Structure formats: C-alpha cells, structure tokens
Amino acid sequence: MQNQTLPGRLPVKMLSVAIGLALAPVAALADTPTTLDKIEVTGSRIRAADAETRQPVLVVTRADITRQGFTSIADILQNLSSAGSPPAARSDALASGESVGGYYVDIRNLGASRTLVLLNGRRLGATTSGRQDLGQVPMSAVQRIEVLKDGASAVYGSDAIAAVVNIITDNTFDGAELNASLGQFSQGDGRNQQLSLRVGTQGDRGGMTAALDYSKEDPVWAKDRWFSRHGDAGPDYPGSGWSGVGRNGSHCNPCANGEDIKAADARWWTLKDGGDPANPTDYRPTDARDRVNANEQMMLQTGIERRSLFATAWYDLTDNVRLEGEALYNQRITDQQVAGYPLSYDVPATSPFNPHGVDTEIVRRLWEVPRTTRSDLQTFRVSGALKGAFQLGGRDFDWDIGGLYNRNNLSKTGHGDASKLALNRALSPDCGTAKDANCRPWNPFLPNGVGGPGALSDPDLQTFLFPYFTDTGTTSTTVYSANLAGALFDVPAGEVGIAVGYEHRREEGRFVPDAFKQSNESTGLAATTTEGGYALDEFYAELSVPILRDLPFARELTLSTAGRHSRYSNFGNTLNSKFGLTWRPLDELLVRGTVATGFRAPTISNLYGGAGSSFERYTDPCGIGATNSVNGNAACNAAGVPLGYVQLGQNGVPCTGYPCQTPDEFINQSNLGLKPETSTSRTVGAVWSPRWVDGLDISLDWYQYSVKDMIIADSVGRILRDCYVLGDAARCGGIVRAPDGHISGLTYGVANLGRMETQGYDLGIRYRLPELAIGQIKLDWQTSYVSQYDEEGNNAKGDKIMIGRVGQVGDSSVFRMRSTLSADWQKGDWGVRYGLRYYSAMKESCVPNRPCTHPDRFANGEPDAIRRVGSNTFHDVQVRWQAPWNATVSVGANNVFNHQGPIMFTSPGGAFPYYAGFDFGRTVYMKYQQRF
C-alpha cells in the first residue's frame, strides 16, 4: 500500500536545544513570579477564576493516588465509575501486537482510541492503532489527573470524542522524596514492587524536577486460579474447552481419500504406554485421555517490568517570558506465555520414523516448548515551549510557542513457534546423515515425556526446530503549536475572553513482522508489514462571552463557543464546534451544559496495516449446536452445509462448547478507503455547594453521545450472522467452506460500520466534614449510570435496528451502573482509607450446554437468550502512619474480603471464563515514603 506524502522531517535538534536550555542549571534572581488568579483547566484554553466547575471535569489528586494500592495511573483511572472495560487486558493471554503490556483507559465505554490522553496538555505518543500508553508516565511525577468527561475535538482535535485525560506533573517540587512499595496476591503470586525517587529544586527565576521510577509485576498463571485452571467453563465443567490436539500426538490412519483428516471416517491413533513407535500395532485409538488443558501452560496475567525517567524544568528569561522543557524515557518489558503450538503436519513416507510407509497426517501439541513473547517498548519524548504574557490596550494576554517529539521503538522476541523449513528437514530421511549433518531428526510419533531417538525433549532438537523470531516497530508523533489567549473587550457582565491557536501534527508508524511470519514459513500466525503516516494542520478559536452577572437568579450567565478546522493529508478537511452555557442562579448553585461535534481519524493500522492471520473463536449459525441454529435454511444450503452439520474445532473434532476455536487460519486486513468517525455529544449538569453545609459539593451530569461511521474491526460473528441469518449475500464473499461444510477460510477487516448512541448520568458527592474530636473525615462517592447504549445492527428481516447493550459483557462490557465510594479518616499521625467498588449485574449471550437464566427471551422480534448474574462489590482498605522522621508508612489490601466474580462462559475481555476487569484475588501491600 502506498504511503501518503508527508512534509519534511522535524528538525529535532531545535527541540533538543530548547530542552537542553530548559534543563540547564538555573540561577536564582530576586524577583518572584507573579501568582495568577486565573487558571486553565482541561477542556478550555481560556483562563478563568472558576474554570474548574464550568465543565464536567473530575480531578484525581496526588493524595487520592497515594492512598490507593494500585500500581499505575491506568489502574487508578480504570476504577473510576465512568471507565469502561479495560482495553488490552493483561488476562487476554492470546493478545498480540503493539498494544500488549500497555496501560490504556476507556471512558464512557466508547473505546480507548476515543479517549484522548495528554501529558501537561500535550498529546502522548500512540501506537499505530491509536492507543496511548498511560504507563509511560512515572506515578511519582504526577501532581493530579484531570478527566474531562465530554467531547472536546473542537479544542484538542481528533480522538477527543468521549473524554480527555490530562496527566499533570508537579514542576514546582522542591526537595527529595523516596517511595517504595511491595505487594502480592494473598495466593502468594503476582508479586509487584515499585521504587521511585523524585528530586527538585526551585528558585526565584527557575527550577527543575526529575522523577525516576522502577516497577515490576510478576505473572499469574491460569492453573493457579479456580476459574481458569479447569478450562473454558470453570470448575463445574472440567474438560470443557480442552484441546483435541494433545501433547501425546495422534496420527490419522487411514484418512478418507488418503488426505482428508477431517472426514468422518478418519481414524486417529496414539502410541500405547511403553509401545514401540516403529511398530504399527503398538498404537491405540485416540480418545478423551489424549485431550489437553492448554490453560496449564497459560499466563492468566502477563508479567511487566518498567523503567521511567521524567524531567521538567523552567527558566524565566525575562519577567514576562519563560522557557519550559520536558524529557521522558520509558522502557516497558512485557512477558507472555501460552501453551505449545497445536501442530498439524504431514509426515512424509520417507521419514525414518514413519511406521506406515505412506504420507501420514499427524497432530501434536508442541508441549515441550511453550510459546513465549517478550515485548520491549522504549519511549523517547522531548517537548519545549516559550511562554509569555503581555498587555495590549490595558488587557492581559498569554501566549506560547512549542514543539513536541514522541517516538516509540518496539522489539518483540518470540519463541516456541517452529520453523517449517526446519520441520521439513527434521522429517526427511537425510536429516542427521552426511547429506545434512547439521540437521536434528524429530520423531513426532513419540508422546510428550517419552524418551528415545528424535524425542522433542532433546535440547539440541529444540534449538534446531524453534528459532527466535523478532518483530520491530516504530511510531512517532511530531507537533508544532502556537496559542494566544486573553480578553478582547468589556461588556456589562465582564470581559470577553478569547483563545486562538495553530497546530501542525505528523503521525508516522511502521511495524515489521519477522521474515518467517511474512513468508509464512513458521507455525506462527502469518503477518505482513504495517507502514504509513499522515500530516495535518489545524486552527482553532475559543470565545467566552459573559451575558449577565450579579443579578437576581443570574449571578453569572456565560456563553462559550469553540471551533477547530483540521486539514488532513489523507482524507481532507473537517470542522468541529462546541457550544457551552454556564448559569449560576445562586452563589452556591451552578448549571452547565455543552453541545459539541467531534471526530476520530482512521489510524495508521486502520489504513495501512498489514494483513494478519488468527485462529478465531466463533459460533457457526449453520451448525446445529448453535443457539438459534439456522441449519437447513437457504443460505446454509447454498453454501453446501449438510443437514445436521456440527461445527468442527481444532483437529476437526466436533465442538462441545461454544464459541469454539477454528482449526483454520482466518485473515484480517486494513482498509485504505476508511473515512473519519463523527460524533455529537451533549451534557447538562449542575454543581451545588449548599451554604448551610460547609464542605459539601454535589454534582449531577447527564450526557449523550452519538457516533456515526464507527471504525471497528469487523467480526467473524457479525459476518456469519449477516450472511446466513440475515441472508445478505454481499457479506458471504469472504467465507470459504470445505466439502464437509466447515469454514476453512475467512477474510475480514476494519470498516465504517453503523453507529452508536449512549446516554447516562454521573452523580458525584464530596463531603469534608468539620474537624471533630475523633478526627477529620472526608467522603467521596462517584456513580455512573448508563441508561442507553445502543449499536446499529440488523434484525432477522435485514432491517437496520438499534440493539441495546446495557448490562451486556463481551469485548466491550457495559455495566448499567458503576459506583465508587471512599471514606478517609485522619487524626494526628494516623489515617485510614476505605474504598468500595461496585459493579451492577451482568448478562451474556447464552452458550449451548450451559446454564441459561432467560432461554425464552426475545429481543427485536427474534430469540435472544441471555444468562444473567448478580452484582459484584470489591472493598479496599489502607492504614497509614506519619512517622516522626518525615516518612509515611502504609499497609493495605485491595479486595480485602477476597471477593470472587462469577464464571462468565463468554470470557468477556480476556481469554478465560471471568470478567477481565475484576480482581483475581486479594492484593496485600506495604508502602514507604521518605521525604528529605
């Protein structure tokens, strides 16, 4: 695919000089900078004295962060009531690509790529799929996190459809601070450790701060948790989901037509205990004892190690001009392991180990060598800016000119997939002879754990068959920007504020799979190169117009508006706007509302992504085992599916549980013809601080989002439903079926598919009680309620309808209600924080041969059986002590009562029968902070 033509390269040296100046030793001068009485908050570039309440912005303070037992910024944000299911969950053992190991956030259930993440008001670098890793930023450097729960494309551009998360670091820190923590699950695994050092010095004219972080989290194994050790359906269904490709190996003899291993009359054989693999009579029929539980070798939670260095500095060149700079380095190492590869291969008749003397099909899981992947992602980021202030016509203006360069370098090292070239040599008669002396012969008929010539347990044979594969990737984000904000003129109600600015941004990305993957010469999934980029120029303007002030029932009435014009090099222009109204009828009551349009541009991988393959889990509606099977209808008959057909899983064995993993590789690919998503968002809310209850603040906000032309990965389930249930012949073109009826190939990709509409409410109550004899008590209760979450689909007649998904769990899980409560008590040197995390009831599509609470349920005029389970609540506790040597010691537990979520047969958000966003056990920890 051709790349877009981009402007010339960024002169990085210019940024480097700016950073170097900003980080140079600072000199103290006599004058102290003037403290501003107006502030800028996330969502607007116009400063205002009470800006923090004009929009629905949730602030997470440094105290909030330190008084919880979570190990990353993303963990903190994931437990906000407005957060959706965790993107790229660490329990998704089969996940691959650039996103693995990253920490991402999804606000409003709209997807991580629709939440924009900023660091000090500037974009974080993103993967080629548009995800921004929150784990890049050291927690020790964070002063606060502002979450704007509103669309803000008019202010920040693409991706700000659902929300904006702005991580703000502390650039005024003076002194030194050492933090250490250690924790693990009460089961004795998943140990996590963190060590950080923060130092800073501040003068009258300049200052600098640096933070160094190290963290490591050990993996958790699926065999060590009750819900994942048994298979894909929990302890009540042992053996469910076990693979038919066992570690003992099976061969087909005879096979129908000598080659069709999936035909009903095929016979499968496994070596008897103590048998001679060269003797054809020493094999027994393969049976259930040869199935294998792949979860025995799976990680439930990946291991992660991080190293981060962040530095920021400022220097006042004059009384009105300041130079600022930031530099960031982060290394993330992620380790994954899944079970040995389920190999299906032809052993030639000439192999010295073939007991039959004819080409023989063998299936064997390569159990001796589990598949592992180590992802090493390094981030380099520099930014610099000149900021200043001036007066014009007696009015104050602020300006800044800056630049940003962010680069991610990724190296993925895989092991455990076999080289097909080596396999062919290892099975040839010349292997190990003078003709091919460097070859190591393999006897695939030997079961796991059985020694002998050609046993896979031989280290030399493993080295020969299993090379190390390396994928590499690079993404970069380059930004130039200029902003100006101030007051234009006076009106009777106050000053008319304005902000204008320009931004140039360039995104480039490249991901190169190993040569073995590109040539399909390994047993791993095939893939091709992703490479592309685009550039854009944007202009924006904001206006704040006070209409009324200091009148009865109109202490304030202000209208705000913003617009942003974006010109992309690959798809053209877009214009987005935002309108807001702030009304304060009483001093203690503020009413606010916004209407905004937004957009999300297609990502590099959406447009220029290479093709990849995967073994998908799905339910074939033409199979009689499917809930609401359509076996025998016109579409299934036309595809050659026989009556009574049962979907086939791995090794061609009929599926007993659904969804069932395909034995064949499906192909997914990008789409150069994608267009941007567009959205409309509306919010109306109120903030009430009653004068007769000091310290109480109550906020209530209603929101509504509508997203059109959604860019989503097409799914196997959606394609099969459209083709066979709805009879849409245009959707059948990528489906290939074998003569026996099973789907042997399917090609799909990303598309602008339909629309989504959601609305709901956010309630926030914060109360700081008057200091009592028993101490100081603070309460914070945040609740999000989703009243609508509809996605466009089709009914059985093919008509477009909106399908409700509130309460439904899956790849993206939408809870009806999430609520968090924290109560903090402080008296003298002692403090206690209690936290509660509540998730409302869940429902999932019913799975054949499993309990179904509502089997007769209909939705949209057709059967839609669901299983419903109850709500879940997790409790967290921390106790802290302020030591007399200027230190704080904290001990605590997340999920202190060791609550366990229910078995979920559809494995929502991960690879195991459990909701991926729930705790996997009780985490106990200790923290120590020393201040100098």
Side-chain angles (χ1 to χ4, degrees):
M1 300 179 182
Q2 274 193 329
N3 299 337
Q4 298 293 326
T5 301
L6 299 177
R9 293 282 177 180
L10 167 72
V12 178
K13 290 183 178 178
M14 183 182 71
L15 276 178
S16 301
V17 169
I19 296 298
L21 289 173
L23 299 180
V26 294
L29 299 180
D31 295 335
T32 300
T34 302
T35 301
L36 297 175
D37 59 352
K38 294 183 179 182
I39 62 172
E40 178 184 327
V41 300
T42 305
S44 175
R45 300 185 187 273
I46 300 176
R47 293 176 177 267
D50 55 356
E52 69 276 5
T53 59
R54 293 177 180 269
Q55 300 187 76
V57 176
L58 176 68
V59 179
V60 181
T61 66
R62 184 171 181 82
D64 296 330
I65 295 172
T66 59
R67 293 175 184 177
Q68 299 183 57
F70 301 109
T71 58
S72 74
I73 294 171
D75 291 332
I76 299 290
L77 295 175
Q78 186 58 48
N79 287 289
L80 297 179
S81 62
S82 55
S85 54
R90 289 174 60 195
S91 63
D92 191 357
L94 299 176
S96 61
E98 300 166 85
S99 296
V100 173
Y103 288 99
Y104 314 101
V105 65
D106 168 13
I107 303 297
R108 302 283 195 220
N109 301 288
L110 296 185
S113 58
R114 299 183 184 95
T115 295
L116 179 63
V117 181
L118 308 174
L119 175 59
N120 293 322
R122 303 180 183 94
R123 287 174 175 261
L124 277 181
T127 65
T128 60
S129 59
R131 289 181 172 177
Q132 302 156 92
D133 184 5
L134 291 157
Q136 298 176 30
V137 185
M139 286 184 66
S140 61
V142 178
Q143 182 187 59
R144 68 184 186 278
I145 305 170
E146 296 180 349
V147 183
L148 171 67
K149 296 181 288 185
D150 191 8
S153 288
V155 180
Y156 297 108
S158 177
D159 308 331
I161 283 182
V164 178
V165 175
N166 191 7
I167 304 168
I168 300 171
T169 61
D170 185 1
N171 62 356
T172 62
F173 180 71
D174 199 343
E177 182 181 271
L178 178 68
N179 290 274
S181 69
L182 183 65
Q184 66 177 24
F185 286 110
S186 56
Q187 290 92 335
D189 56 11
R191 175 174 172 171
N192 66 78
Q193 52 189 309
Q194 287 186 303
L195 183 65
S196 67
L197 175 65
R198 182 170 63 144
V199 295
T201 180
Q202 307 297 324
D204 292 333
R205 202 64 181 256
M208 63 182 301
T209 305
L212 178 67
D213 272 26
Y214 172 80
S215 66
K216 184 178 181 180
E217 297 182 55
D218 293 342
V220 176
W221 296 92
K223 63 183 179 182
D224 294 329
R225 290 297 184 274
W226 67 276
F227 57 84
S228 54
R229 68 168 58 104
H230 303 281
D232 68 357
D236 292 337
Y237 301 91
S240 176
W242 286 28
S243 173
V245 181
R247 58 189 171 195
N248 294 327
S250 301
H251 68 273
C252 181
N253 180 37
C255 293
N257 303 321
E259 58 183 20
D260 188 357
I261 68 168
K262 300 178 178 66
D265 58 348
R267 299 292 183 267
W268 293 90
W269 305 86
T270 299
L271 187 67
K272 296 176 182 178
D273 292 344
D276 179 3
N279 184 355
T281 64
D282 273 1
Y283 291 85
R284 59 170 174 79
T286 300
D287 54 32
R289 83 186 94 166
D290 298 304
R291 294 170 63 83
V292 67
N293 180 10
N295 290 4
E296 292 178 16
Q297 291 190 329
M298 294 273 196
M299 284 183 182
L300 169 65
Q301 180 171 282
T302 56
I304 293 183
E305 187 174 8
R306 290 179 181 272
R307 299 175 179 87
S308 300
L309 173 63
F310 178 77
T312 181
W314 58 274
Y315 181 73
D316 285 342
L317 300 175
T318 70
D319 290 342
N320 295 312
V321 179
R322 172 174 292 183
L323 175 64
E324 293 184 349
E326 296 175 358
L328 169 68
Y329 169 77
N330 180 76
Q331 181 186 35
R332 183 191 79 210
I333 299 175
T334 307
D335 290 308
Q336 293 174 275
Q337 179 175 306
V338 298
Y341 183 78
L343 179 70
S344 175
Y345 221 71
D346 283 318
V347 181
T350 56
S351 170
F353 299 114
N354 191 332
H356 303 296
V358 296
D359 290 351
T360 303
E361 182 76 17
I362 189 164
V363 291
R364 187 189 192 279
R365 189 172 285 273
L366 307 179
W367 195 260
E368 291 84 349
V369 186
R371 287 167 289 172
T372 60
T373 303
R374 167 161 283 204
S375 301
D376 186 341
L377 178 68
Q378 298 189 54
T379 298
F380 306 88
R381 177 187 177 93
V382 291
S383 65
L386 281 173
K387 295 185 176 182
F390 64 90
Q391 284 194 336
L392 181 64
R395 304 191 181 279
D396 295 326
F397 287 86
D398 301 303
W399 60 270
D400 66 81
I401 301 173
L404 161 68
Y405 182 74
N406 194 106
R407 184 181 182 91
N408 293 326
N409 293 334
L410 174 67
S411 175
K412 295 173 66 71
T413 303
H415 187 246
D417 281 307
S419 162
K420 292 180 181 179
L421 301 175
L423 280 172
N424 292 335
R425 291 175 62 192
L427 296 173
S428 74
D430 297 331
C431 186
T433 69
K435 292 183 179 180
D436 194 358
N438 295 324
C439 182
R440 294 291 181 269
W442 177 42
N443 184 355
F445 297 91
L446 279 178
N448 168 257
V450 177
L456 193 55
S457 57
D458 178 8
D460 290 336
L461 176 58
Q462 292 180 6
T463 300
F464 179 71
L465 289 180
F466 300 97
Y468 284 87
F469 305 98
T470 302
D471 306 335
T472 59
T474 300
T475 59
S476 65
T477 299
T478 305
V479 179
Y480 297 112
S481 63
N483 302 283
L484 174 67
L488 285 178
F489 51 83
D490 288 332
V491 294
E495 292 182 332
V496 175
I498 188 173
V500 295
Y502 162 78
E503 183 175 290
H504 170 80
R505 178 161 56 94
R506 181 169 64 248
E507 302 281 356
E508 295 178 286
R510 176 181 170 87
F511 184 73
V512 184
D514 189 276
F516 276 88
K517 294 182 180 179
Q518 297 204 47
S519 59
N520 200 22
E521 287 295 343
S522 80
T523 57
L525 301 176
T528 59
T529 297
T530 294
E531 184 172 14
Y534 58 87
L536 63 149
D537 292 284
E538 299 182 291
F539 295 89
Y540 79 90
E542 284 187 74
L543 200 64
S544 176
V545 182
I547 300 174
L548 300 174
R549 182 171 296 275
D550 297 332
L551 297 175
F553 299 104
R555 307 303 297 168
E556 176 193 356
L557 182 63
T558 301
L559 174 68
S560 61
T561 182
R564 191 180 192 93
H565 178 270
S566 307
R567 182 178 181 84
Y568 280 76
S569 63
N570 52 353
F571 69 79
N573 303 332
T574 180
L575 177 64
N576 293 276
S577 58
K578 184 172 184 176
F579 298 90
L581 188 67
T582 303
W583 173 43
R584 194 184 297 274
L586 307 170
D587 288 336
E588 64 265 28
L589 177 63
L590 179 140
V591 180
R592 60 197 180 196
T594 63
V595 177
T597 60
F599 78 105
R600 182 172 81 90
T603 65
I604 292 170
S605 63
N606 289 157
L607 297 169
Y608 316 113
S613 63
S614 59
F615 293 95
E616 294 293 321
R617 293 172 59 88
Y618 68 94
T619 300
D620 187 347
C622 291
I624 61 173
T627 302
N628 307 318
S629 169
V630 293
N631 181 257
N633 75 358
C636 295
N637 291 341
V641 180
L643 294 176
Y645 165 75
V646 178
Q647 182 179 342
L648 300 179
Q650 289 187 347
N651 195 22
V653 175
C655 299
T656 58
Y658 298 88
C660 185
Q661 190 171 35
T662 173
D664 301 278
E665 291 185 63
F666 293 173
I667 304 298
N668 56 77
Q669 56 192 9
S670 57
N671 182 354
L672 195 57
L674 289 173
K675 57 184 178 180
E677 296 178 345
T678 59
S679 70
T680 302
S681 63
R682 300 174 178 85
T683 67
V684 176
V687 181
W688 183 39
S689 303
R691 71 182 80 177
W692 58 87
V693 185
D694 189 32
L696 175 64
D697 295 297
I698 302 172
S699 64
L700 177 64
D701 289 280
W702 168 83
Y703 66 86
Q704 181 188 59
Y705 292 86
S706 176
V707 184
K708 298 180 180 179
D709 297 321
M710 293 181 67
I711 302 171
I712 62 175
D714 208 350
S715 69
V716 174
R718 181 193 290 263
I719 293 171
L720 297 181
R721 172 181 165 82
D722 291 349
C723 173
Y724 298 113
V725 178
L726 305 183
D728 184 353
R731 295 282 279 164
C732 304
I735 305 171
V736 179
R737 287 189 181 266
D740 62 2
H742 90 275
I743 301 174
S744 59
L746 195 154
T747 301
Y748 61 104
V750 291
N752 293 104
L753 288 172
R755 60 193 175 100
M756 183 277 298
E757 294 181 357
T758 183
Q759 61 178 305
Y761 302 86
D762 286 335
L763 172 66
I765 300 176
R766 288 181 170 175
Y767 185 28
R768 180 189 178 101
L769 279 71
E771 189 161 357
L772 307 171
I774 61 171
Q776 179 72 60
I777 298 175
K778 300 177 185 177
L779 302 174
D780 188 349
W781 181 29
Q782 303 290 326
T783 299
S784 294
Y785 180 87
V786 181
S787 58
Q788 177 191 13
Y789 193 100
D790 296 344
E791 292 183 342
E792 188 176 76
N794 300 89
N795 61 17
K797 298 179 181 179
D799 301 325
K800 288 189 180 300
I801 58 172
M802 297 302 289
I803 301 173
R805 293 194 57 239
V806 175
Q808 189 91 14
V809 295
D811 292 335
S812 178
S813 302
V814 183
F815 289 90
R816 172 72 73 180
M817 184 166 71
R818 286 191 59 183
S819 188
T820 62
L821 171 67
S822 71
D824 190 88
W825 168 82
Q826 179 81 41
K827 182 173 175 61
D829 294 332
W830 289 90
V832 177
R833 181 192 181 276
Y834 162 76
L836 176 151
R837 294 172 281 135
Y838 169 82
Y839 299 79
S840 61
M842 299 181 287
K843 62 184 180 183
E844 63 179 351
S845 298
C846 284
V847 173
N849 305 318
R850 299 291 180 265
C852 185
T853 60
H854 298 76
D856 299 324
R857 178 178 179 266
F858 272 69
N860 303 308
E862 59 185 279
D864 187 22
I866 62 166
R867 171 176 174 259
R868 188 180 185 277
V869 297
S871 61
N872 292 267
T873 304
F874 300 87
H875 302 262
D876 309 322
V877 173
Q878 185 191 93
V879 179
R880 62 186 182 273
W881 173 55
Q882 305 288 341
W885 54 86
N886 202 23
T888 302
V889 181
S890 305
V891 294
N894 294 336
N895 190 18
V896 65
F897 300 121
N898 199 27
H899 175 75
Q900 307 290 316
I903 289 292
M904 303 301 293
F905 298 116
T906 55
S907 303
F912 304 99
Y914 191 81
Y915 172 58
F918 285 168
D919 298 43
F920 297 148
R922 178 196 298 113
T923 303
V924 293
Y925 63 89
M926 182 178 70
K927 293 183 175 183
Y928 181 82
Q929 182 184 83
Q930 180 67 61
R931 295 171 293 277
F932 302 97

